[in-house]
Amino acid sequence: MKKLLLILSITSFSFPLAATQLVYTPVNPAFGGSYLNGSYLLANASAQNDHQSSSGYVAPTALERLASSLQSRLMSQLFNDAANGGEGYLKNR
């Protein structure tokens, strides 16, 4: 029995073993993976997305844009005057 075990162990270690390196291949196309995975990944992400897109954005009206522009121009004049050594007051022209 011991001879049989010895012979089996010697023969099992005498066969050449083949091994290769583990190579990482990315899945995401943004990181070098196959571009064919893009639609699959997008479909999975969309299926898992629970977010309800209810954007509360309302475009500003023309009057609000005008008021914002005037305010920005006024503040720019005040800061430029103060930076140039003035008192930071608006001047009558």
Side-chain angles (χ1 to χ4, degrees), residues 4 8 20 28 31-32 34 36 44 47 52-53 57 59 61 63 65 68-69 74-75 82 86 93:
L4 180 63
L8 286 175
T20 61
N28 192 338
F31 299 111
S34 173
L36 298 173
N44 279 344
Q52 300 295 327
S53 93
Y57 176 74
T61 63
L63 182 62
R65 287 194 315 258
S68 175
S69 175
L74 175 68
M75 295 301 288
R93 293 185 184 194

Side-chain angles (χ1 to χ4, degrees), residues 46-56:
S46 297
Q48 295 175 12
N49 187 9
D50 292 337
H51 180 69
Q52 300 295 327
S53 93
S54 59
S55 175

Side-chain angles (χ1 to χ4, degrees), residues 7-8 14 16 19-20 23-24 27 38 42-43 45 47 50-52 60 63 65-69 72 81 85 92:
I7 291 172
L8 286 175
S14 65
T20 61
V23 179
Y24 172 73
V27 175
L42 181 61
D50 292 337
H51 180 69
Q52 300 295 327
L63 182 62
R65 287 194 315 258
L66 176 66
S68 175
S69 175
S72 175
D81 183 45
N92 292 334

Side-chain angles (χ1 to χ4, degrees), residues 73-86 88:
R73 203 176 274 187
L74 175 68
M75 295 301 288
S76 177
Q77 286 178 357
L78 288 174
F79 289 139
N80 283 338
D81 183 45
N84 292 333

